[in-house]
Amino acid sequence: MGKRTIVTILETSDLHGHVFPYLYGTMQEAPVGLSRVSTIVKRVRQENENVLLVDNGDLIQGTPMTYHTIRSLHEERNPMVLLLNELAYDAAVIGNHEFNYGIEPLHQAVNESQFPWLSANLLGEESSRPVFGSPYVVKETKDGVRVAILGVTTHYIPNWENPLHIQGIEFQDAYEATKQWVAWLRDNENPDVVIVSYHGGFESDLQSGEPTETHTGENQGYKLCMEMAGIDVLLTGHQHRLLAKSDVNGVAIVQPGNNGRAVGQVEITLEDVDGTWKIVQKKSSLLSTADEVPDEELLQKVNHYEQQTQIWLDKQIGEVQGDMIISHPLAARIREHPFVEFIQRVQMDAANTDVSNTALFTNEPAGLPKKVTMRDIVSNYVYPNTLTVLRLTGKQIREALERSATYFQVSENGDIEVNPSFCEPKPQHYNYDMWEGIEYEMDVSLPEGNRVVKLEKNGVPLQLDDQVDVVMNNYRAGGGGDYTMFKGATIVREVQIDMAEILANYFEKHPVVIAKCNDNFRVVCSKKD
């Protein structure tokens, strides 16, 4: 038996700006944040000689701190990049949410980084070269093991992102780019280990191979494992799942959830066979951060950003008369809730339309208290969406309502409940829309595709060829969430201001808001009614 060595790969993914170990909406301690991750990283490095640390994307967006920094402290260094520099990351991959604040903040983050950003399939439309750095990086351990890390990103981004944020970028199919570059690496770089860090997830069950989502091409992880030779390790993300499997058709895979809940780890054992390193074992695992003590030294590095953010968050911006608190999310989706109508009214005011759709993004929405602060706004509206007005036909609106109606199913007791496909493998509560400006009713006891039993505008049935201008967030307007009926629709106008800012501006104009709703929609189950 020849000499053996172990290479340990640590992965973070979908940190979404989480550094501090608490939730901004409530300030309650939570098992999240890069400060807990740091404790794990430092311990693993003390215990192992050959450690590679990779971030898999969706790094710089997602918390009030990252939002406030971009909007108000933009002349300072990006705090997330500052911390990854401090932790000496070996590489990072561009995620879809990296584009949310626009191309300039992203370029700034890349330029401030002391590590390479890998983006093999994000190409300049004119140059056909990677826009944000290198396709890959090769690291060599003290024992001479050559490890190639290739970075690719889900190419589905144009379906979600504000077009202005991705101008001049060609999104090459992630699978095809990976196939091209893995072959090139094997032929030209003589690597002992090939790692693909893919900001994307799995489209099929890892055990059975059965599809777990509509095959849009957004996630191609299973296909990468099953149909492509040459990959030893596949680091994944995007879906916010906790996955670790040492052998998927010979590929070790890992996905560490989101917000710093866990660190993905893959240990690769290699043996020297006649002067060549051969992989003899791979072991994937997840290292939970739940019981880790936050790294106070790391927190001090961004304390200035956090203090400014907390001052901004606690500033009262308005008042609510009545009740906008959400106690039961399912009930707020079955019958109109005053908070939902408020969001719709703000969108229609900002876009000058009389029809709107929106969603409750998570299953833990709080609604708004009597005295409203920015903390309340950002804890409810967690994405930096802008608004888009589409000109839709009655047919497209009906199709969109039918898509939303698949969010529900009927339990054995005849009760309305959430369709499990909107909860697993990834929570997708944000893909159920509610509408304002039309009157409609869904009967979820009927077959999917035939659940909209009433659809009117101003008391008159909406005809298939009627045209209506509808405001919605830019993610949905691009067809995100399998709302394919919106693709190619005429864009009437765009409101290039983040929704959180739009909400704050609304309170500036209307310091007191009255909680009310007109009950324009109902979700029913005729079996029970």
PDB file of all heavy atoms in Angstrom, residues 260-293:
ATOM      1  N   GLY A 260     -26.327  29.554   6.579  1.00  0.00           N
ATOM      2  CA  GLY A 260     -25.299  29.100   7.505  1.00  0.00           C
ATOM      3  C   GLY A 260     -25.786  28.085   8.512  1.00  0.00           C
ATOM      4  O   GLY A 260     -25.225  27.952   9.598  1.00  0.00           O
ATOM      5  N   ARG A 261     -26.812  27.322   8.151  1.00  0.00           N
ATOM      6  CA  ARG A 261     -27.313  26.276   9.058  1.00  0.00           C
ATOM      7  C   ARG A 261     -26.350  25.110   9.169  1.00  0.00           C
ATOM      8  O   ARG A 261     -26.342  24.385  10.161  1.00  0.00           O
ATOM      9  CB  ARG A 261     -28.664  25.751   8.570  1.00  0.00           C
ATOM     10  CG  ARG A 261     -29.815  26.717   8.700  1.00  0.00           C
ATOM     11  CD  ARG A 261     -31.113  26.031   8.348  1.00  0.00           C
ATOM     12  NE  ARG A 261     -31.188  25.706   6.921  1.00  0.00           N
ATOM     13  CZ  ARG A 261     -31.989  24.758   6.429  1.00  0.00           C
ATOM     14  NH1 ARG A 261     -32.715  24.019   7.239  1.00  0.00           N
ATOM     15  NH2 ARG A 261     -32.023  24.542   5.126  1.00  0.00           N
ATOM     16  N   ALA A 262     -25.556  24.903   8.128  1.00  0.00           N
ATOM     17  CA  ALA A 262     -24.620  23.775   8.124  1.00  0.00           C
ATOM     18  C   ALA A 262     -23.480  24.083   7.170  1.00  0.00           C
ATOM     19  O   ALA A 262     -23.569  24.968   6.309  1.00  0.00           O
ATOM     20  CB  ALA A 262     -25.334  22.487   7.700  1.00  0.00           C
ATOM     21  N   VAL A 263     -22.415  23.326   7.328  1.00  0.00           N
ATOM     22  CA  VAL A 263     -21.283  23.358   6.414  1.00  0.00           C
ATOM     23  C   VAL A 263     -21.205  21.990   5.754  1.00  0.00           C
ATOM     24  O   VAL A 263     -21.280  20.958   6.430  1.00  0.00           O
ATOM     25  CB  VAL A 263     -19.965  23.664   7.153  1.00  0.00           C
ATOM     26  CG1 VAL A 263     -18.771  23.597   6.199  1.00  0.00           C
ATOM     27  CG2 VAL A 263     -20.037  25.030   7.828  1.00  0.00           C
ATOM     28  N   GLY A 264     -21.104  21.974   4.431  1.00  0.00           N
ATOM     29  CA  GLY A 264     -20.925  20.711   3.734  1.00  0.00           C
ATOM     30  C   GLY A 264     -19.473  20.281   3.799  1.00  0.00           C
ATOM     31  O   GLY A 264     -18.562  21.105   3.678  1.00  0.00           O
ATOM     32  N   GLN A 265     -19.249  18.988   4.004  1.00  0.00           N
ATOM     33  CA  GLN A 265     -17.881  18.473   4.091  1.00  0.00           C
ATOM     34  C   GLN A 265     -17.749  17.206   3.243  1.00  0.00           C
ATOM     35  O   GLN A 265     -18.591  16.314   3.310  1.00  0.00           O
ATOM     36  CB  GLN A 265     -17.501  18.154   5.526  1.00  0.00           C
ATOM     37  CG  GLN A 265     -16.098  17.552   5.670  1.00  0.00           C
ATOM     38  CD  GLN A 265     -15.689  17.325   7.120  1.00  0.00           C
ATOM     39  OE1 GLN A 265     -15.155  18.197   7.777  1.00  0.00           O
ATOM     40  NE2 GLN A 265     -15.964  16.133   7.630  1.00  0.00           N
ATOM     41  N   VAL A 266     -16.686  17.158   2.448  1.00  0.00           N
ATOM     42  CA  VAL A 266     -16.348  15.945   1.710  1.00  0.00           C
ATOM     43  C   VAL A 266     -14.885  15.628   1.991  1.00  0.00           C
ATOM     44  O   VAL A 266     -14.011  16.459   1.749  1.00  0.00           O
ATOM     45  CB  VAL A 266     -16.561  16.103   0.185  1.00  0.00           C
ATOM     46  CG1 VAL A 266     -16.204  14.799  -0.523  1.00  0.00           C
ATOM     47  CG2 VAL A 266     -18.003  16.498  -0.122  1.00  0.00           C
ATOM     48  N   GLU A 267     -14.654  14.439   2.522  1.00  0.00           N
ATOM     49  CA  GLU A 267     -13.285  13.979   2.801  1.00  0.00           C
ATOM     50  C   GLU A 267     -12.875  12.990   1.711  1.00  0.00           C
ATOM     51  O   GLU A 267     -13.550  11.980   1.495  1.00  0.00           O
ATOM     52  CB  GLU A 267     -13.216  13.318   4.167  1.00  0.00           C
ATOM     53  CG  GLU A 267     -13.482  14.279   5.317  1.00  0.00           C
ATOM     54  CD  GLU A 267     -13.512  13.581   6.662  1.00  0.00           C
ATOM     55  OE1 GLU A 267     -14.388  12.709   6.845  1.00  0.00           O
ATOM     56  OE2 GLU A 267     -12.673  13.888   7.510  1.00  0.00           O
ATOM     57  N   ILE A 268     -11.789  13.294   1.032  1.00  0.00           N
ATOM     58  CA  ILE A 268     -11.304  12.456  -0.058  1.00  0.00           C
ATOM     59  C   ILE A 268      -9.977  11.824   0.361  1.00  0.00           C
ATOM     60  O   ILE A 268      -9.008  12.528   0.658  1.00  0.00           O
ATOM     61  CB  ILE A 268     -11.098  13.276  -1.343  1.00  0.00           C
ATOM     62  CG1 ILE A 268     -12.400  13.992  -1.729  1.00  0.00           C
ATOM     63  CG2 ILE A 268     -10.618  12.389  -2.483  1.00  0.00           C
ATOM     64  CD1 ILE A 268     -12.246  14.910  -2.915  1.00  0.00           C
ATOM     65  N   THR A 269      -9.963  10.513   0.399  1.00  0.00           N
ATOM     66  CA  THR A 269      -8.734   9.787   0.702  1.00  0.00           C
ATOM     67  C   THR A 269      -8.076   9.354  -0.604  1.00  0.00           C
ATOM     68  O   THR A 269      -8.727   8.752  -1.461  1.00  0.00           O
ATOM     69  CB  THR A 269      -9.022   8.550   1.567  1.00  0.00           C
ATOM     70  OG1 THR A 269      -9.695   8.954   2.764  1.00  0.00           O
ATOM     71  CG2 THR A 269      -7.731   7.839   1.941  1.00  0.00           C
ATOM     72  N   LEU A 270      -6.798   9.678  -0.744  1.00  0.00           N
ATOM     73  CA  LEU A 270      -6.051   9.322  -1.959  1.00  0.00           C
ATOM     74  C   LEU A 270      -4.842   8.477  -1.587  1.00  0.00           C
ATOM     75  O   LEU A 270      -4.272   8.623  -0.493  1.00  0.00           O
ATOM     76  CB  LEU A 270      -5.583  10.575  -2.707  1.00  0.00           C
ATOM     77  CG  LEU A 270      -6.684  11.515  -3.205  1.00  0.00           C
ATOM     78  CD1 LEU A 270      -6.791  12.709  -2.290  1.00  0.00           C
ATOM     79  CD2 LEU A 270      -6.393  11.968  -4.642  1.00  0.00           C
ATOM     80  N   GLU A 271      -4.455   7.613  -2.506  1.00  0.00           N
ATOM     81  CA  GLU A 271      -3.282   6.757  -2.310  1.00  0.00           C
ATOM     82  C   GLU A 271      -2.311   6.952  -3.472  1.00  0.00           C
ATOM     83  O   GLU A 271      -2.715   7.058  -4.633  1.00  0.00           O
ATOM     84  CB  GLU A 271      -3.707   5.288  -2.227  1.00  0.00           C
ATOM     85  CG  GLU A 271      -2.555   4.336  -1.953  1.00  0.00           C
ATOM     86  CD  GLU A 271      -3.002   2.892  -1.834  1.00  0.00           C
ATOM     87  OE1 GLU A 271      -4.226   2.655  -1.659  1.00  0.00           O
ATOM     88  OE2 GLU A 271      -2.139   2.002  -1.929  1.00  0.00           O
ATOM     89  N   ASP A 272      -1.032   6.992  -3.133  1.00  0.00           N
ATOM     90  CA  ASP A 272       0.017   7.125  -4.140  1.00  0.00           C
ATOM     91  C   ASP A 272       0.269   5.750  -4.773  1.00  0.00           C
ATOM     92  O   ASP A 272       0.767   4.839  -4.121  1.00  0.00           O
ATOM     93  CB  ASP A 272       1.296   7.652  -3.490  1.00  0.00           C
ATOM     94  CG  ASP A 272       2.398   7.937  -4.515  1.00  0.00           C
ATOM     95  OD1 ASP A 272       2.291   7.458  -5.646  1.00  0.00           O
ATOM     96  OD2 ASP A 272       3.364   8.628  -4.152  1.00  0.00           O
ATOM     97  N   VAL A 273      -0.124   5.619  -6.044  1.00  0.00           N
ATOM     98  CA  VAL A 273       0.078   4.368  -6.772  1.00  0.00           C
ATOM     99  C   VAL A 273       1.073   4.632  -7.905  1.00  0.00           C
ATOM    100  O   VAL A 273       0.735   5.270  -8.902  1.00  0.00           O
ATOM    101  CB  VAL A 273      -1.251   3.821  -7.335  1.00  0.00           C
ATOM    102  CG1 VAL A 273      -1.000   2.523  -8.094  1.00  0.00           C
ATOM    103  CG2 VAL A 273      -2.268   3.608  -6.214  1.00  0.00           C
ATOM    104  N   ASP A 274       2.286   4.164  -7.702  1.00  0.00           N
ATOM    105  CA  ASP A 274       3.337   4.337  -8.720  1.00  0.00           C
ATOM    106  C   ASP A 274       3.498   5.795  -9.136  1.00  0.00           C
ATOM    107  O   ASP A 274       3.588   6.139 -10.323  1.00  0.00           O
ATOM    108  CB  ASP A 274       3.045   3.469  -9.950  1.00  0.00           C
ATOM    109  CG  ASP A 274       3.030   1.988  -9.626  1.00  0.00           C
ATOM    110  OD1 ASP A 274       3.794   1.581  -8.733  1.00  0.00           O
ATOM    111  OD2 ASP A 274       2.241   1.256 -10.252  1.00  0.00           O
ATOM    112  N   GLY A 275       3.470   6.675  -8.124  1.00  0.00           N
ATOM    113  CA  GLY A 275       3.704   8.092  -8.392  1.00  0.00           C
ATOM    114  C   GLY A 275       2.483   8.878  -8.834  1.00  0.00           C
ATOM    115  O   GLY A 275       2.592  10.063  -9.156  1.00  0.00           O
ATOM    116  N   THR A 276       1.320   8.224  -8.831  1.00  0.00           N
ATOM    117  CA  THR A 276       0.079   8.905  -9.224  1.00  0.00           C
ATOM    118  C   THR A 276      -0.938   8.779  -8.103  1.00  0.00           C
ATOM    119  O   THR A 276      -1.150   7.689  -7.559  1.00  0.00           O
ATOM    120  CB  THR A 276      -0.500   8.276 -10.506  1.00  0.00           C
ATOM    121  OG1 THR A 276       0.469   8.394 -11.556  1.00  0.00           O
ATOM    122  CG2 THR A 276      -1.780   8.995 -10.923  1.00  0.00           C
ATOM    123  N   TRP A 277      -1.566   9.879  -7.771  1.00  0.00           N
ATOM    124  CA  TRP A 277      -2.582   9.859  -6.715  1.00  0.00           C
ATOM    125  C   TRP A 277      -3.890   9.284  -7.249  1.00  0.00           C
ATOM    126  O   TRP A 277      -4.397   9.736  -8.267  1.00  0.00           O
ATOM    127  CB  TRP A 277      -2.823  11.261  -6.172  1.00  0.00           C
ATOM    128  CG  TRP A 277      -1.687  11.811  -5.365  1.00  0.00           C
ATOM    129  CD1 TRP A 277      -0.821  12.789  -5.719  1.00  0.00           C
ATOM    130  CD2 TRP A 277      -1.321  11.382  -4.056  1.00  0.00           C
ATOM    131  NE1 TRP A 277       0.090  13.009  -4.720  1.00  0.00           N
ATOM    132  CE2 TRP A 277      -0.197  12.157  -3.667  1.00  0.00           C
ATOM    133  CE3 TRP A 277      -1.810  10.424  -3.161  1.00  0.00           C
ATOM    134  CZ2 TRP A 277       0.436  12.006  -2.443  1.00  0.00           C
ATOM    135  CZ3 TRP A 277      -1.180  10.277  -1.929  1.00  0.00           C
ATOM    136  CH2 TRP A 277      -0.083  11.055  -1.579  1.00  0.00           C
ATOM    137  N   LYS A 278      -4.419   8.285  -6.542  1.00  0.00           N
ATOM    138  CA  LYS A 278      -5.690   7.660  -6.896  1.00  0.00           C
ATOM    139  C   LYS A 278      -6.676   7.809  -5.737  1.00  0.00           C
ATOM    140  O   LYS A 278      -6.307   7.593  -4.574  1.00  0.00           O
ATOM    141  CB  LYS A 278      -5.502   6.168  -7.207  1.00  0.00           C
ATOM    142  CG  LYS A 278      -4.542   5.892  -8.359  1.00  0.00           C
ATOM    143  CD  LYS A 278      -5.100   6.358  -9.697  1.00  0.00           C
ATOM    144  CE  LYS A 278      -4.177   5.962 -10.837  1.00  0.00           C
ATOM    145  NZ  LYS A 278      -4.669   6.474 -12.142  1.00  0.00           N
ATOM    146  N   ILE A 279      -7.906   8.168  -6.063  1.00  0.00           N
ATOM    147  CA  ILE A 279      -8.932   8.278  -5.024  1.00  0.00           C
ATOM    148  C   ILE A 279      -9.356   6.878  -4.586  1.00  0.00           C
ATOM    149  O   ILE A 279      -9.744   6.052  -5.419  1.00  0.00           O
ATOM    150  CB  ILE A 279     -10.146   9.067  -5.540  1.00  0.00           C
ATOM    151  CG1 ILE A 279      -9.746  10.503  -5.900  1.00  0.00           C
ATOM    152  CG2 ILE A 279     -11.274   9.065  -4.507  1.00  0.00           C
ATOM    153  CD1 ILE A 279     -10.854  11.313  -6.557  1.00  0.00           C
ATOM    154  N   VAL A 280      -9.300   6.644  -3.279  1.00  0.00           N
ATOM    155  CA  VAL A 280      -9.695   5.333  -2.764  1.00  0.00           C
ATOM    156  C   VAL A 280     -10.965   5.401  -1.919  1.00  0.00           C
ATOM    157  O   VAL A 280     -11.614   4.379  -1.682  1.00  0.00           O
ATOM    158  CB  VAL A 280      -8.555   4.682  -1.950  1.00  0.00           C
ATOM    159  CG1 VAL A 280      -7.359   4.396  -2.850  1.00  0.00           C
ATOM    160  CG2 VAL A 280      -8.127   5.558  -0.773  1.00  0.00           C
ATOM    161  N   GLN A 281     -11.307   6.612  -1.464  1.00  0.00           N
ATOM    162  CA  GLN A 281     -12.530   6.732  -0.646  1.00  0.00           C
ATOM    163  C   GLN A 281     -13.010   8.185  -0.656  1.00  0.00           C
ATOM    164  O   GLN A 281     -12.215   9.123  -0.695  1.00  0.00           O
ATOM    165  CB  GLN A 281     -12.269   6.293   0.802  1.00  0.00           C
ATOM    166  CG  GLN A 281     -13.524   6.262   1.664  1.00  0.00           C
ATOM    167  CD  GLN A 281     -13.226   5.791   3.082  1.00  0.00           C
ATOM    168  OE1 GLN A 281     -12.088   5.848   3.537  1.00  0.00           O
ATOM    169  NE2 GLN A 281     -14.241   5.307   3.782  1.00  0.00           N
ATOM    170  N   LYS A 282     -14.344   8.329  -0.626  1.00  0.00           N
ATOM    171  CA  LYS A 282     -14.956   9.655  -0.497  1.00  0.00           C
ATOM    172  C   LYS A 282     -16.069   9.566   0.549  1.00  0.00           C
ATOM    173  O   LYS A 282     -16.853   8.619   0.547  1.00  0.00           O
ATOM    174  CB  LYS A 282     -15.535  10.121  -1.840  1.00  0.00           C
ATOM    175  CG  LYS A 282     -14.479  10.467  -2.879  1.00  0.00           C
ATOM    176  CD  LYS A 282     -15.082  10.919  -4.198  1.00  0.00           C
ATOM    177  CE  LYS A 282     -15.624   9.776  -5.008  1.00  0.00           C
ATOM    178  NZ  LYS A 282     -16.029  10.176  -6.374  1.00  0.00           N
ATOM    179  N   LYS A 283     -16.117  10.566   1.406  1.00  0.00           N
ATOM    180  CA  LYS A 283     -17.122  10.564   2.476  1.00  0.00           C
ATOM    181  C   LYS A 283     -17.748  11.950   2.579  1.00  0.00           C
ATOM    182  O   LYS A 283     -17.057  12.936   2.831  1.00  0.00           O
ATOM    183  CB  LYS A 283     -16.496  10.171   3.812  1.00  0.00           C
ATOM    184  CG  LYS A 283     -17.489  10.145   4.970  1.00  0.00           C
ATOM    185  CD  LYS A 283     -16.803   9.811   6.276  1.00  0.00           C
ATOM    186  CE  LYS A 283     -17.794   9.830   7.433  1.00  0.00           C
ATOM    187  NZ  LYS A 283     -17.123   9.577   8.739  1.00  0.00           N
ATOM    188  N   SER A 284     -19.058  12.027   2.382  1.00  0.00           N
ATOM    189  CA  SER A 284     -19.792  13.294   2.466  1.00  0.00           C
ATOM    190  C   SER A 284     -20.529  13.396   3.791  1.00  0.00           C
ATOM    191  O   SER A 284     -21.070  12.399   4.293  1.00  0.00           O
ATOM    192  CB  SER A 284     -20.808  13.402   1.321  1.00  0.00           C
ATOM    193  OG  SER A 284     -20.171  13.370   0.072  1.00  0.00           O
ATOM    194  N   SER A 285     -20.585  14.601   4.342  1.00  0.00           N
ATOM    195  CA  SER A 285     -21.303  14.811   5.606  1.00  0.00           C
ATOM    196  C   SER A 285     -21.715  16.272   5.733  1.00  0.00           C
ATOM    197  O   SER A 285     -21.235  17.141   4.991  1.00  0.00           O
ATOM    198  CB  SER A 285     -20.442  14.391   6.791  1.00  0.00           C
ATOM    199  OG  SER A 285     -19.232  15.132   6.822  1.00  0.00           O
ATOM    200  N   LEU A 286     -22.600  16.519   6.671  1.00  0.00           N
ATOM    201  CA  LEU A 286     -23.028  17.875   6.991  1.00  0.00           C
ATOM    202  C   LEU A 286     -22.613  18.201   8.417  1.00  0.00           C
ATOM    203  O   LEU A 286     -22.831  17.396   9.329  1.00  0.00           O
ATOM    204  CB  LEU A 286     -24.545  18.009   6.855  1.00  0.00           C
ATOM    205  CG  LEU A 286     -25.122  17.873   5.450  1.00  0.00           C
ATOM    206  CD1 LEU A 286     -26.642  17.794   5.515  1.00  0.00           C
ATOM    207  CD2 LEU A 286     -24.700  19.035   4.572  1.00  0.00           C
ATOM    208  N   LEU A 287     -22.024  19.352   8.615  1.00  0.00           N
ATOM    209  CA  LEU A 287     -21.609  19.804   9.935  1.00  0.00           C
ATOM    210  C   LEU A 287     -22.571  20.902  10.374  1.00  0.00           C
ATOM    211  O   LEU A 287     -22.513  22.032   9.903  1.00  0.00           O
ATOM    212  CB  LEU A 287     -20.169  20.321   9.895  1.00  0.00           C
ATOM    213  CG  LEU A 287     -19.129  19.389   9.260  1.00  0.00           C
ATOM    214  CD1 LEU A 287     -17.757  20.053   9.247  1.00  0.00           C
ATOM    215  CD2 LEU A 287     -19.082  18.059  10.002  1.00  0.00           C
ATOM    216  N   SER A 288     -23.483  20.560  11.277  1.00  0.00           N
ATOM    217  CA  SER A 288     -24.492  21.517  11.735  1.00  0.00           C
ATOM    218  C   SER A 288     -23.846  22.631  12.556  1.00  0.00           C
ATOM    219  O   SER A 288     -22.931  22.397  13.347  1.00  0.00           O
ATOM    220  CB  SER A 288     -25.548  20.809  12.575  1.00  0.00           C
ATOM    221  OG  SER A 288     -26.427  21.750  13.173  1.00  0.00           O
ATOM    222  N   THR A 289     -24.356  23.844  12.375  1.00  0.00           N
ATOM    223  CA  THR A 289     -23.849  24.976  13.155  1.00  0.00           C
ATOM    224  C   THR A 289     -24.682  25.232  14.410  1.00  0.00           C
ATOM    225  O   THR A 289     -24.381  26.152  15.168  1.00  0.00           O
ATOM    226  CB  THR A 289     -23.848  26.258  12.305  1.00  0.00           C
ATOM    227  OG1 THR A 289     -25.201  26.578  11.941  1.00  0.00           O
ATOM    228  CG2 THR A 289     -23.005  26.092  11.058  1.00  0.00           C
ATOM    229  N   ALA A 290     -25.718  24.424  14.626  1.00  0.00           N
ATOM    230  CA  ALA A 290     -26.690  24.708  15.695  1.00  0.00           C
ATOM    231  C   ALA A 290     -26.060  24.871  17.066  1.00  0.00           C
ATOM    232  O   ALA A 290     -26.466  25.735  17.855  1.00  0.00           O
ATOM    233  CB  ALA A 290     -27.754  23.617  15.725  1.00  0.00           C
ATOM    234  N   ASP A 291     -25.064  24.052  17.379  1.00  0.00           N
ATOM    235  CA  ASP A 291     -24.462  24.087  18.714  1.00  0.00           C
ATOM    236  C   ASP A 291     -23.118  24.803  18.747  1.00  0.00           C
ATOM    237  O   ASP A 291     -22.406  24.748  19.748  1.00  0.00           O
ATOM    238  CB  ASP A 291     -24.286  22.652  19.230  1.00  0.00           C
ATOM    239  CG  ASP A 291     -25.621  21.933  19.407  1.00  0.00           C
ATOM    240  OD1 ASP A 291     -26.602  22.591  19.790  1.00  0.00           O
ATOM    241  OD2 ASP A 291     -25.680  20.720  19.115  1.00  0.00           O
ATOM    242  N   GLU A 292     -22.792  25.483  17.657  1.00  0.00           N
ATOM    243  CA  GLU A 292     -21.499  26.151  17.595  1.00  0.00           C
ATOM    244  C   GLU A 292     -21.558  27.538  18.249  1.00  0.00           C
ATOM    245  O   GLU A 292     -22.553  28.253  18.145  1.00  0.00           O
ATOM    246  CB  GLU A 292     -21.041  26.306  16.143  1.00  0.00           C
ATOM    247  CG  GLU A 292     -20.862  24.985  15.414  1.00  0.00           C
ATOM    248  CD  GLU A 292     -19.732  24.151  15.997  1.00  0.00           C
ATOM    249  OE1 GLU A 292     -18.861  24.711  16.694  1.00  0.00           O
ATOM    250  OE2 GLU A 292     -19.719  22.928  15.739  1.00  0.00           O
ATOM    251  N   VAL A 293     -20.469  27.904  18.903  1.00  0.00           N
ATOM    252  CA  VAL A 293     -20.356  29.229  19.511  1.00  0.00           C
ATOM    253  C   VAL A 293     -19.940  30.217  18.425  1.00  0.00           C
ATOM    254  O   VAL A 293     -18.970  29.977  17.701  1.00  0.00           O
ATOM    255  CB  VAL A 293     -19.314  29.227  20.646  1.00  0.00           C
ATOM    256  CG1 VAL A 293     -19.135  30.631  21.220  1.00  0.00           C
ATOM    257  CG2 VAL A 293     -19.730  28.239  21.737  1.00  0.00           C
TER     258      VAL A 293
END
